[in-house]
Amino acid sequence: MIFRGGRAGGRAIPWRPSSVYRGVSGFRSPVDRLPDEALLSGLATGDPELAVVFVRRFQRRVFGVAMAVTGDEQLAEDVAQSTFERAWRHAQIYDSRRGSVTTWLTTIAHNLAVDAVRARRTEPMAPEDLDAVIGVVTETPEQWALADETAAQLRAAVARLPREQARALVMAGIYGMTAQQIADAERIPLGTAKTRIRAAMAKLRTTLASPKRGDHVR
Amino acid sequence: MSGDMNCGRLREIGAELALGVLPGRERAEAVAHLDRCANCREYVRQLTLVGDRLIGLLPEREPPPGFETRAARLPARQAPAHEAPAGAADRAFRHLRGRARRARLRLAAVATALTVAVGFAGWGIGTAVEEVLASSAPAAESELMLVGDMTSTVGGETVGEVYAHPGTPGWIFVSVGLTGPHASYTGKVTCLLEHADGRIVRVGDFTLNGGRGEWGVAAPGDLSTLSGARLTMPDGTVLATAHLQKGQVVEPEK
Ligand SMILES: [Zn+2]
Protein backbone atom coordinates (compact mmCIF):
# COMPACT_ATOMS: atom_id res chain seq x y z
CA MET A 1 0.00 0.00 0.00
CA ILE A 2 1.41 3.30 -0.99
CA PHE A 3 -1.15 5.83 -0.02
CA ARG A 4 -1.05 7.33 3.38
CA GLY A 5 -3.94 8.98 5.07
CA GLY A 6 -4.20 12.67 5.57
CA ARG A 7 -1.96 13.73 2.77
CA ALA A 8 -3.71 17.03 2.52
CA GLY A 9 -2.68 17.64 6.07
CA GLY A 10 0.92 17.63 5.00
CA ARG A 11 0.59 21.00 3.43
CA ALA A 12 1.78 23.74 5.66
CA ILE A 13 0.04 26.75 4.34
CA PRO A 14 -0.29 29.71 6.60
CA TRP A 15 -3.79 30.59 5.67
CA ARG A 16 -6.87 30.95 7.75
CA PRO A 17 -10.23 31.53 6.16
CA SER A 18 -11.94 34.80 6.88
CA SER A 19 -9.29 36.34 9.03
CA VAL A 20 -6.06 37.97 8.11
CA TYR A 21 -6.22 37.99 4.39
CA ARG A 22 -9.80 38.89 3.78
CA GLY A 23 -9.46 42.42 2.66
CA VAL A 24 -12.05 44.97 1.86
CA SER A 25 -13.42 44.08 -1.51
CA GLY A 26 -11.14 46.52 -3.15
CA PHE A 27 -9.45 46.72 -6.45
CA ARG A 28 -6.53 44.72 -5.25
CA SER A 29 -7.34 42.95 -2.07
CA PRO A 30 -4.74 41.14 0.01
CA VAL A 31 -6.25 37.94 -1.27
CA ASP A 32 -4.51 38.67 -4.54
CA ARG A 33 -1.23 38.02 -2.83
CA LEU A 34 -2.11 34.61 -1.49
CA PRO A 35 0.11 31.83 -2.77
CA ASP A 36 -1.57 29.66 -5.38
CA GLU A 37 -1.96 26.73 -3.09
CA ALA A 38 -3.44 28.73 -0.28
CA LEU A 39 -5.88 30.23 -2.68
CA LEU A 40 -6.89 26.83 -3.88
CA SER A 41 -7.38 25.42 -0.43
CA GLY A 42 -9.37 28.50 0.44
CA LEU A 43 -11.75 27.70 -2.39
CA ALA A 44 -12.91 24.71 -0.46
CA THR A 45 -14.61 27.13 1.88
CA GLY A 46 -16.83 28.25 -0.97
CA ASP A 47 -15.71 31.86 -0.78
CA PRO A 48 -16.73 33.55 -4.03
CA GLU A 49 -14.12 36.26 -3.69
CA LEU A 50 -11.38 33.67 -3.74
CA ALA A 51 -12.91 32.09 -6.79
CA VAL A 52 -12.71 35.35 -8.72
CA VAL A 53 -9.11 35.87 -7.72
CA PHE A 54 -8.31 32.33 -8.69
CA VAL A 55 -9.92 32.59 -12.11
CA ARG A 56 -8.29 35.95 -12.73
CA ARG A 57 -4.92 34.47 -11.92
CA PHE A 58 -5.14 31.42 -14.14
CA GLN A 59 -7.64 32.10 -16.89
CA ARG A 60 -5.12 33.18 -19.53
CA ARG A 61 -3.03 30.11 -18.94
CA VAL A 62 -6.01 27.79 -19.04
CA PHE A 63 -7.64 29.42 -22.00
CA GLY A 64 -4.34 29.49 -23.87
CA VAL A 65 -3.94 25.75 -23.56
CA ALA A 66 -7.54 25.14 -24.54
CA MET A 67 -7.21 27.40 -27.57
CA ALA A 68 -3.98 25.82 -28.71
CA VAL A 69 -5.45 22.35 -28.64
CA THR A 70 -8.95 23.05 -29.92
CA GLY A 71 -8.35 26.00 -32.22
CA ASP A 72 -11.96 26.95 -31.60
CA GLU A 73 -12.86 29.82 -29.37
CA GLN A 74 -16.24 28.50 -28.28
CA LEU A 75 -14.96 25.05 -27.57
CA ALA A 76 -11.93 26.47 -25.79
CA GLU A 77 -14.18 28.52 -23.58
CA ASP A 78 -16.22 25.47 -22.68
CA VAL A 79 -13.05 23.61 -21.89
CA ALA A 80 -11.70 26.45 -19.78
CA GLN A 81 -14.96 26.70 -17.90
CA SER A 82 -14.96 22.98 -17.23
CA THR A 83 -11.37 23.21 -16.07
CA PHE A 84 -12.31 25.67 -13.36
CA GLU A 85 -15.33 23.64 -12.38
CA ARG A 86 -13.11 20.70 -11.93
CA ALA A 87 -10.72 22.77 -9.89
CA TRP A 88 -13.55 23.81 -7.59
CA ARG A 89 -14.55 20.23 -7.09
CA HIS A 90 -11.07 19.00 -6.47
CA ALA A 91 -9.72 21.90 -4.48
CA GLN A 92 -9.96 19.85 -1.35
CA ILE A 93 -7.90 16.98 -2.57
CA TYR A 94 -5.28 18.87 -4.48
CA ASP A 95 -1.89 17.72 -3.28
CA SER A 96 0.95 20.16 -3.74
CA ARG A 97 3.50 17.39 -3.71
CA ARG A 98 2.23 16.21 -7.02
CA GLY A 99 2.88 19.47 -8.81
CA SER A 100 2.21 23.15 -8.83
CA VAL A 101 -1.29 24.54 -9.10
CA THR A 102 -0.41 25.91 -12.52
CA THR A 103 0.71 22.52 -13.76
CA TRP A 104 -2.29 20.89 -12.24
CA LEU A 105 -4.68 23.28 -13.95
CA THR A 106 -2.97 23.20 -17.31
CA THR A 107 -2.96 19.44 -17.20
CA ILE A 108 -6.67 19.40 -16.54
CA ALA A 109 -7.27 21.92 -19.29
CA HIS A 110 -5.11 20.02 -21.71
CA ASN A 111 -6.80 16.82 -20.90
CA LEU A 112 -10.30 18.20 -21.33
CA ALA A 113 -9.29 19.93 -24.54
CA VAL A 114 -7.88 16.77 -26.06
CA ASP A 115 -11.02 14.96 -25.03
CA ALA A 116 -13.25 17.62 -26.54
CA VAL A 117 -11.35 17.68 -29.80
CA ARG A 118 -11.35 13.94 -30.05
CA ALA A 119 -15.08 13.87 -29.69
CA ARG A 120 -15.53 16.06 -32.71
CA ARG A 121 -12.46 15.98 -34.89
CA THR A 122 -12.74 13.82 -37.94
CA GLU A 123 -10.11 15.46 -40.09
CA PRO A 124 -6.48 14.72 -39.51
CA MET A 125 -4.29 17.53 -38.32
CA ALA A 126 -3.76 20.20 -40.92
CA PRO A 127 -0.03 20.59 -41.60
CA GLU A 128 -0.16 24.35 -41.32
CA ASP A 129 -1.81 24.11 -37.89
CA LEU A 130 0.96 21.89 -36.76
CA ASP A 131 3.65 24.18 -38.08
CA ALA A 132 2.02 27.10 -36.34
CA VAL A 133 2.07 25.28 -33.03
CA ILE A 134 5.68 24.26 -33.45
CA GLY A 135 6.45 27.89 -34.20
CA VAL A 136 4.66 29.09 -31.11
CA VAL A 137 6.31 26.51 -28.92
CA THR A 138 9.79 27.26 -30.13
CA GLU A 139 9.79 31.02 -30.33
CA THR A 140 11.66 32.60 -27.48
CA PRO A 141 10.85 36.21 -26.86
CA GLU A 142 13.57 37.70 -24.76
CA GLN A 143 11.44 38.47 -21.77
CA TRP A 144 10.37 34.84 -21.56
CA ALA A 145 13.90 33.64 -21.73
CA LEU A 146 14.71 35.85 -18.81
CA ALA A 147 11.65 34.85 -16.89
CA ASP A 148 12.08 31.12 -17.14
CA GLU A 149 15.35 29.63 -18.13
CA THR A 150 14.06 26.08 -18.15
CA ALA A 151 11.29 26.97 -20.53
CA ALA A 152 13.77 28.75 -22.76
CA GLN A 153 15.99 25.69 -22.81
CA LEU A 154 13.08 23.49 -23.66
CA ARG A 155 11.98 25.78 -26.48
CA ALA A 156 15.46 25.72 -27.88
CA ALA A 157 15.57 21.95 -27.60
CA VAL A 158 12.30 21.60 -29.47
CA ALA A 159 13.62 23.96 -32.12
CA ARG A 160 16.70 21.78 -32.56
CA LEU A 161 14.67 18.64 -33.13
CA PRO A 162 14.49 17.28 -36.64
CA ARG A 163 11.24 18.56 -38.08
CA GLU A 164 9.57 15.17 -38.24
CA GLN A 165 10.36 14.53 -34.58
CA ALA A 166 9.01 17.92 -33.58
CA ARG A 167 5.83 17.15 -35.48
CA ALA A 168 5.43 13.79 -33.78
CA LEU A 169 6.12 15.39 -30.43
CA VAL A 170 3.49 18.07 -30.89
CA MET A 171 0.95 15.64 -32.24
CA ALA A 172 1.39 13.31 -29.27
CA GLY A 173 2.22 15.75 -26.51
CA ILE A 174 -0.12 18.58 -27.36
CA TYR A 175 -2.85 17.10 -29.51
CA GLY A 176 -2.90 13.80 -27.65
CA MET A 177 -2.63 11.69 -30.77
CA THR A 178 -1.57 8.08 -30.44
CA ALA A 179 1.38 6.72 -32.36
CA GLN A 180 -1.06 4.99 -34.68
CA GLN A 181 -2.90 8.23 -35.38
CA ILE A 182 0.39 9.95 -36.05
CA ALA A 183 1.43 7.14 -38.37
CA ASP A 184 -1.82 7.52 -40.28
CA ALA A 185 -1.56 11.29 -40.46
CA GLU A 186 2.07 11.26 -41.57
CA ARG A 187 1.70 8.15 -43.72
CA ILE A 188 4.55 6.43 -42.02
CA PRO A 189 4.82 2.99 -40.38
CA LEU A 190 3.68 2.72 -36.79
CA GLY A 191 7.19 1.82 -35.65
CA THR A 192 8.53 5.00 -37.19
CA ALA A 193 5.96 7.12 -35.41
CA LYS A 194 6.85 5.50 -32.10
CA THR A 195 10.54 6.02 -32.72
CA ARG A 196 10.03 9.68 -33.46
CA ILE A 197 8.07 10.29 -30.29
CA ARG A 198 10.64 8.44 -28.27
CA ALA A 199 13.61 10.17 -29.82
CA ALA A 200 12.11 13.61 -29.35
CA MET A 201 11.21 12.96 -25.75
CA ALA A 202 14.61 11.51 -24.99
CA LYS A 203 16.31 14.66 -26.22
CA LEU A 204 14.03 16.94 -24.24
CA ARG A 205 14.54 14.87 -21.16
CA THR A 206 18.28 15.15 -21.49
CA THR A 207 17.94 18.89 -21.89
CA LEU A 208 15.96 19.22 -18.70
CA ALA A 209 18.14 16.79 -16.81
CA SER A 210 21.44 18.47 -17.55
CA PRO A 211 22.19 21.42 -15.30
CA LYS A 212 23.85 23.37 -18.07
CA ARG A 213 22.42 23.37 -21.50
CA GLY A 214 23.38 20.03 -23.01
CA ASP A 215 23.91 21.20 -26.54
CA HIS A 216 24.87 17.83 -27.74
CA VAL A 217 21.89 15.74 -26.95
CA ARG A 218 22.20 12.82 -29.23
CA MET B 1 2.49 -10.20 -28.24
CA SER B 2 3.25 -11.48 -24.83
CA GLY B 3 2.43 -9.64 -21.68
CA ASP B 4 6.11 -9.47 -20.91
CA MET B 5 7.17 -6.02 -19.98
CA ASN B 6 10.78 -5.62 -19.08
CA CYS B 7 12.88 -2.54 -18.59
CA GLY B 8 14.02 -2.48 -22.20
CA ARG B 9 10.50 -2.64 -23.49
CA LEU B 10 9.36 -0.05 -20.98
CA ARG B 11 12.02 2.36 -22.19
CA GLU B 12 10.62 1.98 -25.68
CA ILE B 13 7.12 3.04 -24.76
CA GLY B 14 7.80 5.22 -21.74
CA ALA B 15 7.45 8.41 -23.75
CA GLU B 16 4.03 7.44 -25.04
CA LEU B 17 2.99 6.44 -21.55
CA ALA B 18 4.15 9.75 -20.15
CA LEU B 19 2.35 11.70 -22.84
CA GLY B 20 -0.80 9.73 -22.24
CA VAL B 21 -1.09 8.29 -25.71
CA LEU B 22 -0.32 4.67 -25.03
CA PRO B 23 -3.20 2.34 -25.87
CA GLY B 24 -4.92 0.71 -22.92
CA ARG B 25 -3.47 -2.75 -22.97
CA GLU B 26 0.12 -1.68 -23.26
CA ARG B 27 -0.52 0.96 -20.69
CA ALA B 28 -1.75 -1.61 -18.22
CA GLU B 29 1.32 -3.73 -18.76
CA ALA B 30 3.58 -0.73 -18.45
CA VAL B 31 1.95 0.37 -15.23
CA ALA B 32 2.29 -3.11 -13.82
CA HIS B 33 5.98 -2.96 -14.58
CA LEU B 34 6.35 0.47 -13.00
CA ASP B 35 4.76 -0.89 -9.91
CA ARG B 36 7.77 -3.08 -9.33
CA CYS B 37 10.58 -1.16 -10.97
CA ALA B 38 11.82 2.02 -9.34
CA ASN B 39 14.25 2.84 -12.13
CA CYS B 40 11.61 2.84 -14.81
CA ARG B 41 9.33 4.74 -12.50
CA GLU B 42 11.87 7.52 -12.23
CA TYR B 43 12.39 7.41 -15.98
CA VAL B 44 8.69 7.86 -16.69
CA ARG B 45 8.43 10.52 -14.03
CA GLN B 46 11.04 12.56 -15.82
CA LEU B 47 9.31 12.09 -19.14
CA THR B 48 6.02 13.10 -17.60
CA LEU B 49 7.68 16.28 -16.44
CA VAL B 50 8.83 16.90 -19.98
CA GLY B 51 5.26 16.47 -21.19
CA ASP B 52 3.96 18.89 -18.58
CA ARG B 53 6.62 21.42 -19.48
CA LEU B 54 5.82 21.09 -23.14
CA ILE B 55 2.22 22.04 -22.48
CA GLY B 56 3.55 24.86 -20.36
CA LEU B 57 5.17 26.35 -23.46
CA LEU B 58 1.82 27.10 -25.02
CA PRO B 59 1.12 30.80 -25.01
CA GLU B 60 -1.37 32.44 -22.72
CA ARG B 61 -4.51 33.82 -24.28
CA GLU B 62 -7.03 36.33 -23.10
CA PRO B 63 -10.40 34.60 -22.75
CA PRO B 64 -13.53 36.25 -24.14
CA PRO B 65 -15.17 39.05 -22.14
CA GLY B 66 -17.29 37.84 -19.28
CA PHE B 67 -15.43 34.59 -18.91
CA GLU B 68 -14.07 35.50 -15.53
CA THR B 69 -17.52 35.98 -14.07
CA ARG B 70 -18.88 32.80 -15.58
CA ALA B 71 -15.96 30.69 -14.54
CA ALA B 72 -15.82 32.04 -11.02
CA ARG B 73 -19.32 30.89 -10.28
CA LEU B 74 -18.67 28.42 -7.55
CA PRO B 75 -20.86 25.39 -7.60
CA ALA B 76 -23.30 25.09 -4.78
CA ARG B 77 -21.09 22.73 -2.88
CA GLN B 78 -22.26 19.17 -2.79
CA ALA B 79 -25.32 19.88 -4.87
CA PRO B 80 -25.20 17.14 -7.45
CA ALA B 81 -27.39 19.03 -9.89
CA HIS B 82 -25.80 22.41 -9.87
CA GLU B 83 -26.34 23.17 -13.52
CA ALA B 84 -26.19 26.81 -14.32
CA PRO B 85 -29.25 28.85 -15.12
CA ALA B 86 -30.50 28.79 -18.65
CA GLY B 87 -28.91 30.92 -21.29
CA ALA B 88 -28.08 30.89 -24.92
CA ALA B 89 -24.90 28.90 -24.67
CA ASP B 90 -26.02 26.87 -21.75
CA ARG B 91 -27.12 23.82 -23.55
CA ALA B 92 -23.66 23.45 -24.91
CA PHE B 93 -22.24 23.98 -21.47
CA ARG B 94 -24.54 21.48 -20.00
CA HIS B 95 -23.56 18.92 -22.52
CA LEU B 96 -19.92 19.50 -21.89
CA ARG B 97 -20.46 19.54 -18.19
CA GLY B 98 -22.02 16.13 -18.31
CA ARG B 99 -19.05 14.91 -20.20
CA ALA B 100 -16.71 16.62 -17.85
CA ARG B 101 -18.37 14.97 -14.94
CA ARG B 102 -17.96 11.54 -16.41
CA ALA B 103 -14.45 12.42 -17.36
CA ARG B 104 -13.88 13.50 -13.82
CA LEU B 105 -14.80 10.11 -12.51
CA ARG B 106 -12.54 8.59 -15.04
CA LEU B 107 -9.79 10.96 -14.21
CA ALA B 108 -9.94 10.51 -10.52
CA ALA B 109 -10.35 6.79 -10.72
CA VAL B 110 -7.65 6.17 -13.21
CA ALA B 111 -5.23 8.63 -11.76
CA THR B 112 -5.82 7.05 -8.44
CA ALA B 113 -5.28 3.58 -9.75
CA LEU B 114 -1.98 4.67 -11.07
CA THR B 115 -0.96 6.51 -8.00
CA VAL B 116 -1.87 3.60 -5.86
CA ALA B 117 -0.17 1.15 -8.09
CA VAL B 118 2.79 3.23 -8.97
CA GLY B 119 3.06 5.53 -6.04
CA PHE B 120 4.82 8.37 -7.71
CA ALA B 121 3.92 11.95 -8.18
CA GLY B 122 2.96 13.88 -11.25
CA TRP B 123 -0.38 14.99 -12.55
CA GLY B 124 0.55 14.31 -16.07
CA ILE B 125 0.52 10.61 -15.99
CA GLY B 126 -2.83 10.13 -14.39
CA THR B 127 -4.61 12.56 -16.58
CA ALA B 128 -2.65 11.35 -19.51
CA VAL B 129 -4.03 7.92 -19.00
CA GLU B 130 -7.50 9.30 -19.05
CA GLU B 131 -6.86 10.42 -22.57
CA VAL B 132 -5.85 6.96 -23.56
CA LEU B 133 -8.97 5.53 -22.12
CA ALA B 134 -10.99 8.17 -23.86
CA SER B 135 -9.48 7.19 -27.14
CA SER B 136 -9.71 3.47 -26.83
CA ALA B 137 -12.40 1.40 -28.40
CA PRO B 138 -15.45 1.20 -26.14
CA ALA B 139 -16.09 -2.49 -26.23
CA ALA B 140 -12.51 -3.59 -26.00
CA GLU B 141 -11.44 -1.20 -23.31
CA SER B 142 -14.35 -0.62 -21.03
CA GLU B 143 -13.24 -1.09 -17.48
CA LEU B 144 -15.75 -1.83 -14.83
CA MET B 145 -15.55 0.62 -12.03
CA LEU B 146 -17.72 1.10 -9.01
CA VAL B 147 -18.13 4.64 -7.92
CA GLY B 148 -20.09 6.48 -5.30
CA ASP B 149 -20.21 9.67 -3.34
CA MET B 150 -19.57 9.49 0.37
CA THR B 151 -22.45 11.07 2.22
CA SER B 152 -22.23 12.36 5.74
CA THR B 153 -24.46 10.49 8.15
CA VAL B 154 -25.00 13.71 10.06
CA GLY B 155 -25.89 16.32 7.51
CA GLY B 156 -26.29 14.32 4.37
CA GLU B 157 -23.74 16.35 2.46
CA THR B 158 -21.32 14.80 0.07
CA VAL B 159 -18.07 14.52 1.92
CA GLY B 160 -15.99 12.35 -0.35
CA GLU B 161 -15.77 9.78 -3.05
CA VAL B 162 -15.21 6.06 -3.26
CA TYR B 163 -13.88 4.16 -6.22
CA ALA B 164 -13.58 0.44 -6.45
CA HIS B 165 -11.93 -1.36 -9.26
CA PRO B 166 -12.59 -5.08 -9.39
CA GLY B 167 -9.66 -6.85 -10.92
CA THR B 168 -6.58 -8.75 -10.00
CA PRO B 169 -5.74 -7.22 -7.76
CA GLY B 170 -8.75 -5.08 -7.20
CA TRP B 171 -8.33 -1.82 -5.43
CA ILE B 172 -10.32 0.66 -3.43
CA PHE B 173 -9.81 4.33 -3.15
CA VAL B 174 -11.45 6.61 -0.64
CA SER B 175 -11.18 10.36 -0.51
CA VAL B 176 -12.89 12.18 2.29
CA GLY B 177 -13.14 15.69 3.67
CA LEU B 178 -15.65 15.70 6.50
CA THR B 179 -17.89 18.64 7.24
CA GLY B 180 -20.06 19.33 10.24
CA PRO B 181 -19.33 18.00 13.70
CA HIS B 182 -16.53 15.74 12.55
CA ALA B 183 -14.83 18.31 10.35
CA SER B 184 -11.86 18.52 12.66
CA TYR B 185 -11.64 14.84 13.50
CA THR B 186 -8.11 13.53 13.55
CA GLY B 187 -7.64 9.87 14.10
CA LYS B 188 -8.30 6.44 12.81
CA VAL B 189 -11.26 5.46 10.68
CA THR B 190 -12.23 2.05 9.45
CA CYS B 191 -13.43 1.41 5.95
CA LEU B 192 -16.10 -1.25 5.57
CA LEU B 193 -17.38 -2.59 2.30
CA GLU B 194 -20.88 -3.87 1.79
CA HIS B 195 -21.68 -6.52 -0.74
CA ALA B 196 -24.99 -6.92 -2.50
CA ASP B 197 -25.69 -10.11 -0.57
CA GLY B 198 -25.42 -8.27 2.72
CA ARG B 199 -21.91 -9.28 3.65
CA ILE B 200 -19.86 -6.57 5.28
CA VAL B 201 -16.13 -6.76 4.96
CA ARG B 202 -13.63 -4.67 6.78
CA VAL B 203 -11.02 -3.57 4.31
CA GLY B 204 -8.74 -1.61 6.58
CA ASP B 205 -8.04 1.49 8.59
CA PHE B 206 -6.59 4.81 7.72
CA THR B 207 -6.05 8.15 9.36
CA LEU B 208 -7.98 11.33 8.94
CA ASN B 209 -6.21 14.55 9.61
CA GLY B 210 -8.54 17.41 10.36
CA GLY B 211 -11.41 15.46 8.87
CA ARG B 212 -9.51 14.78 5.69
CA GLY B 213 -7.76 11.86 4.20
CA GLU B 214 -7.17 9.87 1.09
CA TRP B 215 -6.53 6.22 1.11
CA GLY B 216 -6.02 3.57 -1.46
CA VAL B 217 -5.48 -0.10 -0.97
CA ALA B 218 -5.32 -3.26 -2.97
CA ALA B 219 -8.34 -5.29 -1.93
CA PRO B 220 -8.53 -9.04 -2.33
CA GLY B 221 -11.67 -10.91 -3.24
CA ASP B 222 -14.45 -10.21 -5.66
CA LEU B 223 -15.22 -6.53 -5.65
CA SER B 224 -17.73 -6.66 -8.46
CA THR B 225 -20.57 -7.41 -6.04
CA LEU B 226 -19.91 -4.36 -3.88
CA SER B 227 -22.93 -2.24 -3.17
CA GLY B 228 -21.67 0.24 -0.67
CA ALA B 229 -18.99 1.49 1.64
CA ARG B 230 -18.92 3.17 4.99
CA LEU B 231 -16.43 4.84 7.26
CA THR B 232 -16.60 4.38 10.99
CA MET B 233 -14.80 5.79 13.97
CA PRO B 234 -13.15 3.43 16.45
CA ASP B 235 -16.22 3.61 18.70
CA GLY B 236 -18.40 2.40 15.85
CA THR B 237 -19.94 5.74 14.94
CA VAL B 238 -20.66 5.73 11.24
CA LEU B 239 -19.22 8.89 9.74
CA ALA B 240 -20.21 8.50 6.14
CA THR B 241 -21.71 6.02 3.76
CA ALA B 242 -21.65 5.54 0.03
CA HIS B 243 -23.76 3.65 -2.42
CA LEU B 244 -21.62 2.22 -5.11
CA GLN B 245 -22.86 2.03 -8.64
CA LYS B 246 -21.37 0.32 -11.55
CA GLY B 247 -19.86 2.63 -14.06
CA GLN B 248 -17.87 1.93 -17.11
CA VAL B 249 -14.89 3.86 -18.12
CA VAL B 250 -16.88 5.86 -20.55
CA GLU B 251 -16.27 6.98 -24.06
CA PRO B 252 -16.72 10.54 -25.05
CA GLU B 253 -19.80 10.88 -27.17
CA LYS B 254 -19.58 11.43 -30.85
ZN1 LIG C 1 12.09 -1.43 -15.33
Side-chain angles (χ1 to χ4, degrees):
Chain A
M1 197 205 76
I2 293 147
F3 258 77
R4 282 162 295 270
R7 298 187 309 149
R11 266 181 290 158
I13 294 167
W15 186 80
R16 219 173 292 281
S18 71
S19 61
V20 194
Y21 290 100
R22 279 300 298 275
V24 272
S25 53
F27 182 63
R28 183 177 169 78
S29 76
V31 170
D32 287 342
R33 293 193 295 269
L34 280 181
D36 295 348
E37 293 166 5
L39 193 52
L40 186 59
S41 48
L43 283 172
T45 65
D47 184 332
E49 186 190 356
L50 296 185
V52 171
V53 173
F54 189 84
V55 170
R56 207 172 280 161
R57 192 176 290 180
F58 293 106
Q59 58 181 354
R60 279 165 222 86
R61 193 87 282 265
V62 164
F63 188 70
V65 170
M67 252 328 263
V69 176
T70 65
D72 175 319
E73 187 144 325
Q74 182 57 51
L75 192 56
E77 190 180 342
D78 291 353
V79 164
Q81 169 113 13
S82 297
T83 302
F84 284 107
E85 285 176 2
R86 197 180 270 200
W88 307 151
R89 300 198 60 121
H90 286 267
Q92 289 173 301
I93 57 166
Y94 165 78
D95 182 348
S96 59
R97 288 181 299 179
R98 292 176 65 186
S100 69
V101 174
T102 306
T103 307
W104 180 60
L105 273 180
T106 48
T107 306
I108 294 173
H110 177 250
N111 188 60
L112 288 172
V114 166
D115 209 16
V117 165
R118 249 183 210 149
R120 67 154 60 175
R121 179 177 285 156
T122 47
E123 298 296 301
M125 184 61 47
E128 57 277 15
D129 287 357
L130 202 51
D131 289 341
V133 172
I134 294 173
V136 154
V137 162
T138 52
E139 73 186 348
T140 314
E142 224 165 295
Q143 68 273 25
W144 294 3
L146 289 175
D148 184 346
E149 200 188 342
T150 311
Q153 285 177 10
L154 194 61
R155 285 179 198 283
V158 176
R160 284 196 303 271
L161 290 175
R163 195 64 173 183
E164 72 274 9
Q165 288 181 17
R167 290 173 63 89
L169 177 75
V170 166
M171 283 192 267
I174 290 177
Y175 292 110
M177 293 167 71
T178 64
Q180 185 61 58
Q181 287 171 322
I182 294 169
D184 293 345
E186 301 280 70
R187 297 172 203 286
I188 52 175
L190 175 61
T192 307
K194 283 175 165 289
T195 305
R196 286 179 186 175
I197 298 171
R198 186 169 76 236
M201 286 292 281
K203 286 171 190 165
L204 300 192
R205 172 175 164 264
T206 310
T207 302
L208 290 187
S210 56
K212 296 279 152 115
R213 179 135 87 44
D215 235 328
H216 243 75
V217 285
R218 35 162 251 110
Chain B
M1 294 229 298
S2 80
D4 269 6
M5 180 69 64
N6 53 36
C7 296
R9 175 88 185 105
L10 195 284
R11 301 295 160 126
E12 284 176 21
I13 59 172
E16 290 165 76
L17 177 69
L19 294 178
V21 297
L22 197 62
R25 214 187 86 106
E26 275 181 289
R27 170 188 57 87
E29 290 171 7
V31 168
H33 178 80
L34 292 186
D35 195 23
R36 46 177 202 269
C37 180
N39 287 339
C40 288
R41 209 147 64 211
E42 173 58 19
Y43 175 73
V44 172
R45 192 191 63 80
Q46 290 177 13
L47 289 174
T48 304
L49 196 64
V50 171
D52 288 350
R53 286 256 161 81
L54 182 68
I55 295 164
L57 297 183
L58 293 170
E60 299 194 345
R61 285 278 295 257
E62 196 69 45
F67 176 80
E68 181 178 304
T69 318
R70 291 193 291 279
R73 231 185 273 142
L74 284 171
R77 275 213 99 68
Q78 288 91 23
H82 72 277
E83 309 297 358
D90 262 26
R91 245 173 312 157
F93 276 141
R94 201 163 306 201
H95 175 68
L96 197 89
R97 233 173 243 145
R99 291 193 41 220
R101 185 163 302 128
R102 289 190 299 280
R104 175 181 72 88
L105 291 180
R106 232 168 43 213
L107 167 73
V110 173
T112 299
L114 270 174
T115 315
V116 170
V118 177
F120 75 80
W123 298 109
I125 187 154
T127 51
V129 166
E130 174 186 359
E131 295 162 15
V132 172
L133 291 175
S135 73
S136 51
E141 289 298 336
S142 67
E143 290 183 19
L144 177 67
M145 189 83 73
L146 294 145
V147 296
D149 282 339
M150 271 275 168
T151 308
S152 161
T153 45
V154 184
E157 317 92 315
T158 303
V159 291
E161 294 167 327
V162 181
Y163 300 94
H165 184 269
T168 40
W171 52 262
I172 304 280
F173 175 72
V174 182
S175 162
V176 61
L178 294 173
T179 56
H182 300 295
S184 58
Y185 175 69
T186 295
K188 201 172 79 169
V189 290
T190 300
C191 179
L192 301 164
L193 299 176
E194 307 164 7
H195 286 268
D197 60 7
R199 269 181 308 134
I200 294 187
V201 180
R202 176 188 165 139
V203 65
D205 298 329
F206 63 105
T207 305
L208 294 188
N209 198 334
R212 294 183 177 198
E214 292 177 19
W215 182 62
V217 66
D222 183 10
L223 301 183
S224 64
T225 61
L226 284 183
S227 59
R230 65 177 76 160
L231 294 181
T232 63
M233 298 211 287
D235 67 2
T237 306
V238 179
L239 291 168
T241 60
H243 288 291
L244 294 178
Q245 295 184 312
K246 282 187 181 147
Q248 297 288 332
V249 173
V250 288
E251 271 306 278
E253 288 132 21
K254 291 277 139 54

